[in-house]
Amino acid sequence: MAKNLVIVESPAKAKTIKKFLGPNYKIEASMGHVRDLPKSQLGIDIENDFEPKYITIRGKGELLAKLRKEVKKATKVYLATDPDREGEAISWHLLHSLKLEDKSTYRITFNEITKNAVKDSIKNAREIDMNLVDAQQARRLLDRVVGYKMSPVLWKKVRKGLSAGRVQSITLKLICDREHEINDFIPEEYWSLDAKLEIKETKDIFTAKFYGTQDEKVELKNEKQVKDILEELKGKSFKIAQILEKERKKKTVLPFTTSTLQQEASKKLNFTAIKTMRIAQQLYEGIEIKDEGTIGLITYLRTDSTRISDEAHNNVIEYIIEHYGETYANRDHSQNKKKEGVQDAHEAIRPSYVHLSPDEIKGSLSRDQYKLYNLIWRRFVSSRMMPAINIVKSVKIDAGNYRFTTALTTQLFDGFLKVYKEDEEKEDKQSISKLNDTSKLKKMEMLDEQHFTQHPPRYTEASLVKTLEENGVGRPSTYAPTIATVMARGYVSKENKQLFPTELGEIVNEMISSYFDGVIDVTFTASMEKQLDDVEIGAMEWKDVLRNFFPNFEKKVKIAEEEIEKIELKDEETDIICEKCGRNMVIKMGRYGKFLACPGFPDCRNAKPILEKVEGVECHKCGGEVLVKKTKKGRRYYGCEHNPECDFMTWNLPTSVKCDKCNAIMVDKGKKLMCSNDECKNVVSKE
Ligand SMILES: [Zn+2]
Ligand SMILES: [Zn+2]
Ligand SMILES: [Zn+2]
């Protein structure tokens, strides 16, 4: 007969824990949160010092009744939700909903679901940590206040049903800012000049790159400069000036944090951040492994620490020695020092049982589980291996007054790369290895090529997570949901892994950044996160976070409500006649921007894309109108009305100015105008 009740969030976790605790423990799942702020209203009594009004989440009544029955039968209750602020808050809500105040109730946490960790947690059972709960309450209430006060402004001014969030708005702003940078970017011309050379003795061929003169590096800016150099080089012989060989260490990678796991899973497995977290949660909670039963395969997945416990360190060193040999093991455990600003005593994300190699348990995992476990396992094992050692051979070659260079990297010792490769490295310059001080060279061919500098890349999920972390915006638990939210709301779209704002996203961002500057920006949001960290360690009272934030924010909401002109999105009538019913069609704002709809809705459901033309601009190729168009994913571009017969197309806003060199349309590049003709790329200042 069970005397002890353990409550966790999920049935999978319950199943994994069950076998460690024996018949005296009954395990039940709360199925996530049981109590929260109400959906239908703000749920915060602002007049009464931000007192939250929590209610039982709809549909959880029956479950709570069942849990209450179990509580009655038990002598002790253990709350074993996930080991972070949110988990602590779920336990605290359970305490209230189940009226556990008078019961012997304990909070237990484990960083991994293994027999030792679970048993230890019972030994170290404690009370609920109100600092952790309060940090979570402060975040929840902040987000609620911002969402519920800022969203109605959007409804009035843009479109019903839109919503704005605290961290999501920053994320949207980062993406919009990058898009503006890209729009304003003006490519600059540069040239490359390569010499294809033959080693006379061996007939091997290799390529050396133009460096400059013997004294300094020279940038190749234009064709004339390159042609002049080629002229000077005519008849000059190429000679080896110097060969240097240097040993270079390639530093071992650190084990995964939430942020680096999301970045690598995006790059290597093409997983979204949300998917990575979903699969990692499965690996953490427990998976049925053949001959082993249900076991938790990895440590807790929400962490910003790269620390590894002594026991795990010793185990992996043993594993490395056994499988790869003594020379690969890096016993140095000093990299374990605590990172500045890290939330808690969490560990890095690592396998719980290093001897369970990915290939050994492949048969028990789904394809995605295998891929992610493989990544985590390899990263962890390699993090305790020696650095790789490369020999870099760099060669300087002189011809006339000029210098060319080439280099070859040869691996001397693979070290951690045996288990984990960061990027695929290409090796093709084998013939350079045959070069020595006395080699004679023969010029085969000179290769010159024109290039243009590239605009900064759009964010990918991976680089966005990295940027959020670097700026101190958000925490391990928030990166994935934040990105998912801006996409679900139709503010941001993804094309070939690149994130860009939709027209709707631009409008929302424009409004938020002009009216909520100073409360919804990167610096301020980072300082809020810092305050939440202070609440967690008991250095700040949680309501102070709200008391500090609210007055200024409320002022901005008022100003925004009063000042913002309704952005012309009330159904503007057009002279386009609905071909189905004869009414004049209107412009509506949809998920991905404006479109034409019949006002007869719901009788007539006709809708179609807007044919919006760029006023005063005429296609230089055929004289047609230039139209605003959108890709399937909602990215804006401009094209000729006679497409596909006419192929004029540009990503930048066309202007009525024509290129003084080739007569093509000039497009808007912020402070400058650029020719839309890729072969011309003429740039002039805006007058
Ligand atoms: Zn109609
Ligand atoms: Zn045209
Ligand atoms: Zn031009």
Side-chain angles (χ1 to χ4, degrees), residues 619 622 640 646:
C619 174
C622 73
C640 179
C646 174

Side-chain angles (χ1 to χ4, degrees), residues 577-585 597-601 603-607:
I577 304 297
C578 173
E579 68 273 21
K580 295 201 175 136
C581 72
R583 292 182 178 94
N584 277 51
M585 296 191 81
C598 180
F601 187 87
D603 300 335
C604 174
R605 291 170 179 267
N606 192 17

